[in-house]
Amino acid sequence: MKRVLALLLTAAILTACSRPSAHHTRAELSIAQQHEPMSLNPALENGTSSMELGLLLFQYLVKFDDRGRLIGDAAVEPPTVRNGGISRDGLTITYHLRNGLRFADGKPLTAADCVWSIRAIQNPANNVQSRYGYDRVSDARAPDATTLVLHLREPFAPLTTLVLAPQGFPILPRHVLASETNFNHDSFALQPIGSGPYVVTQWLHGDRLELRSNPYYWQGKPHIDRITLRFVADANTAINLLQTGEIDGYFDDQDLANYPQLQHVAGTYVSNAPINGVGALIFNTADPLTADARVRHALAEAIDIHSLIAKTYRGAYTNAAAGRGLFLWAYDPKAYPDIPYDPKDAARLLDAAGWTLSSGVRVKDGRPLDLQLIVQAQTPGDQIIGNAIAAQERSIGVHVSLKQFNVTQFVAPASLGGPVYGGHFQIALYPFLNGDDPDTTDQFSCDHVPPKGYNKSRICDPAIDTLLNAGRRTYEPAARIAIYSRLEQLLYRELPIALLYQRHQIGAFTNRLHGQTTSLSGAFWNVGRWTLSS
């Protein structure tokens, strides 16, 4: 008996000694990315950076899952006409929040925080990047702690993807920010308090952002105790860190030529998920040389888009169903097909438009068809595509010259000499993100021609505006799909922009990571449920 007890005691001691220390069993994840935010307040950020911070540190009312469905986050479910969340006249939208929500400091999150957040975005004293959607809310009220009621100026179907949603901004803590006149330079921007799965512990500018799990998160304390976002501007450096195991992931690589290399990093998998964005050739419809839709179609059909995208992005992107990146769930491939490679038809269209071939050059009224294509400098993929386009257009008698601008110049407003928003181009190679809704008002409406908006092609057509307006005012998905099919057909006929590909978000993660998927809301949409194996 004593011998048995001794053996058991010895086994217990050996087992205890063989257990890793508490320090080593803690789950920690290190992910590199190329960009660093300017602020940790998502309301002062824009695009991918704002959404990333919103998903890690805050909550939205709703967000997208990896199956493309809009699901509840702080709200129990998205409001619809069917569940009574959207009134029959489309002017009142009601959200029901989950019970027991808390911010990371333990304070309750209620509908009053949602009301305050909406009013803060509407407040001109706060330097938010956009108020689109929020400007349609005439009044926001919280009749009780878990009910948020929004009254709209007019029916506006995209609102549920904009207001306190990933395309907009997350729910902010009223008890932290309400005493400030604005949140532009507040300490909150350095170490914010949200209600998301993680909390900031330290921001080392130019190096990393360190996060810890939030014990008050509504789905329970995340399994991964700590996440570090390392800011690594050079892609080769980041890939080397991934290969040596110094980081566990590399997120949102901007140099897509690295895609094949990422696929061969041992012990990792590559996430390649389509998102709400496109690569496009923007035609300036207000310029005499590109004002004719026949010319725009001819220029597009002269390009072998399929081969060009395959060679440039080496499998990361494809040109197939490029329209899905712009029209999302309302995309109709019959109404908006991929642009064919057809130089013979391109020549026919130019002949019909009065551009005759003379000594290998297209000429009309004594003027050659000599166009300028503007591209972003220091973007390898854009340089390859730009040069290839120039060569292929030459085969149908069109001369295309490239002009490069650094990214700051390229996207600058007209008042600062920006060539795109100032209209100083005939063709622009311009990748961009669209919204989380098929509404494309900001891209094609007469009211959104710069400097009033983002209609870079300057297309202005009453028929397009009529369909855009109908789509915004209609809430039923089936009815909206029918409207947008007609819109896509019209846009394809006019071709103010030629879509080259749907954008993807690409990341590489350790095989030890489980549960990570990417949605329209981004790679971190379900980060609170991720786990790490040993």
Side-chain angles (χ1 to χ4, degrees):
M1 183 67 179
K2 288 181 179 179
R3 187 168 180 270
V4 172
L5 289 173
L7 288 171
L8 290 173
L9 180 60
T10 302
I13 292 170
L14 290 172
T15 301
C17 291
S18 67
R19 285 194 192 117
S21 66
H23 173 75
H24 289 100
T25 58
R26 296 187 65 164
E28 300 184 9
L29 190 70
S30 178
I31 299 175
Q33 59 186 50
Q34 289 183 299
H35 67 275
E36 179 176 8
M38 296 180 293
S39 168
L40 300 186
N41 180 351
L44 299 177
E45 284 287 315
N46 198 16
T48 302
S49 183
S50 174
M51 194 177 298
E52 178 184 46
L53 293 171
L55 293 168
L56 284 165
L57 308 178
F58 296 84
Q59 277 184 282
Y60 300 98
L61 290 170
V62 296
K63 60 184 177 182
F64 284 94
D65 69 6
D66 56 357
R67 294 171 60 186
R69 301 174 304 181
L70 194 63
I71 61 172
D73 190 11
V76 175
E77 63 181 350
T80 65
V81 173
R82 185 169 299 178
N83 66 21
I86 299 176
S87 63
R88 289 293 172 183
D89 63 4
L91 295 175
T92 303
I93 297 183
T94 303
Y95 294 86
H96 297 287
L97 274 60
R98 302 180 191 277
N99 291 311
L101 295 175
R102 292 189 183 188
F103 288 101
D105 59 2
K107 300 292 185 183
L109 185 160
T110 71
D113 292 288
C114 300
V115 171
W116 186 89
S117 299
I118 292 169
R119 292 175 179 169
I121 300 302
Q122 292 175 328
N123 183 356
N126 290 315
N127 297 332
V128 298
Q129 295 290 324
S130 172
R131 294 183 175 85
Y132 186 56
Y134 294 83
D135 56 2
R136 309 302 172 100
V137 179
S138 61
D139 187 43
R141 296 190 179 276
D144 57 57
T146 60
T147 305
L148 171 67
V149 181
L150 306 182
H151 297 288
L152 310 187
R153 303 182 194 283
E154 60 183 3
F156 188 64
L159 184 130
T160 55
T161 67
L162 287 163
V163 173
L164 303 184
Q167 191 189 337
F169 306 110
I171 302 166
L172 301 172
R174 179 185 57 159
H175 68 280
V176 174
L177 294 170
S179 61
E180 305 291 336
T181 56
N182 63 65
F183 53 51
N184 299 328
H185 304 288
D186 194 87
S187 59
F188 183 82
L190 299 174
Q191 196 156 17
I193 298 294
S195 59
Y198 286 89
V199 187
V200 174
T201 56
Q202 185 175 216
W203 183 12
L204 300 175
H205 294 269
D207 183 33
R208 67 187 65 202
L209 179 65
E210 297 179 352
L211 312 174
R212 64 170 174 82
S213 56
N214 174 13
Y216 297 108
Y217 185 51
W218 76 273
Q219 288 186 309
K221 186 175 182 290
H223 300 290
I224 299 177
D225 296 293
R226 295 184 181 277
I227 292 180
T228 298
L229 298 181
R230 294 182 57 176
F231 309 124
V232 183
D234 180 70
N236 290 324
T237 300
I239 293 173
N240 287 336
L241 292 172
L242 190 65
Q243 290 172 326
T244 60
E246 294 174 74
I247 59 175
D248 305 299
Y250 177 35
F251 170 65
D252 203 19
D253 183 15
Q254 300 299 303
D255 187 351
L256 298 173
N258 296 322
Y259 185 65
Q261 188 178 356
L262 284 174
Q263 289 180 304
H264 290 92
V265 176
T268 68
Y269 69 92
V270 174
S271 169
N272 183 349
I275 59 173
N276 56 334
V278 293
L281 288 179
I282 312 291
F283 297 115
N284 186 350
T285 63
D287 187 282
L289 295 180
T290 46
D292 191 324
R294 293 171 295 183
V295 172
R296 299 194 291 268
H297 270 278
L299 295 171
E301 290 181 11
I303 305 167
D304 185 355
I305 298 174
H306 174 76
S307 297
L308 180 56
I309 300 307
K311 291 176 182 177
T312 302
Y313 296 121
R314 305 175 71 182
Y317 286 175
T318 172
N319 73 303
R324 196 179 303 281
L326 192 58
F327 303 107
L328 305 175
W329 50 264
Y331 172 58
D332 181 352
K334 293 181 180 179
Y336 202 98
D338 294 326
I339 296 168
Y341 175 48
D342 194 343
K344 289 184 178 180
D345 191 59
R348 179 190 66 79
L349 288 168
L350 289 177
D351 287 338
W355 291 96
T356 57
L357 199 59
S358 176
S359 302
V361 178
R362 293 282 171 177
V363 178
K364 183 178 181 179
D365 299 328
R367 182 179 182 180
L369 190 51
D370 193 342
L371 306 174
Q372 186 177 88
L373 168 62
I374 62 173
V375 300
Q376 295 183 48
Q378 299 175 328
T379 306
D382 287 8
Q383 304 298 312
I384 295 170
I385 291 174
N387 287 322
I389 287 173
Q392 292 178 0
E393 297 294 356
R394 196 178 303 122
S395 69
I396 61 167
V398 179
H399 180 259
V400 174
S401 59
L402 266 64
K403 186 171 183 179
Q404 301 181 28
F405 295 85
N406 67 47
V407 64
T408 303
Q409 293 173 309
F410 195 75
V411 301
S415 60
L416 296 178
V420 176
Y421 292 101
H424 305 302
F425 71 97
Q426 276 107 26
I427 315 173
L429 182 58
Y430 199 107
F432 65 90
L433 291 174
N434 194 45
D436 291 342
D437 185 271
D439 175 46
T440 51
T441 297
D442 57 341
Q443 298 296 332
F444 303 117
S445 167
C446 293
D447 288 340
H448 287 250
V449 172
K452 297 184 291 181
Y454 299 106
N455 181 351
K456 298 171 283 294
S457 71
R458 289 164 165 73
I459 187 78
C460 183
D461 185 326
I464 291 175
D465 275 8
T466 296
L467 290 168
L468 288 169
N469 184 56
R472 291 194 310 272
R473 297 178 64 89
T474 303
Y475 287 94
E476 286 294 346
R480 296 189 77 200
I481 287 173
I483 292 168
Y484 289 126
S485 178
R486 292 163 56 202
L487 174 65
E488 290 165 47
Q489 190 173 30
L490 181 55
L491 287 171
Y492 190 82
R493 187 181 74 200
E494 294 298 318
L495 209 69
I497 69 176
L499 299 182
L500 305 179
Y501 56 83
Q502 179 177 8
R503 290 180 64 175
H504 286 221
Q505 192 170 76
I506 294 172
F509 300 93
T510 174
N511 287 334
R512 294 171 49 238
L513 180 63
H514 306 286
Q516 187 279 326
T517 57
T518 301
S519 82
L520 200 63
S521 293
F524 296 102
W525 77 274
N526 66 340
V527 66
R529 312 311 296 162
W530 292 1
T531 60
L532 274 174
S533 59
S534 57

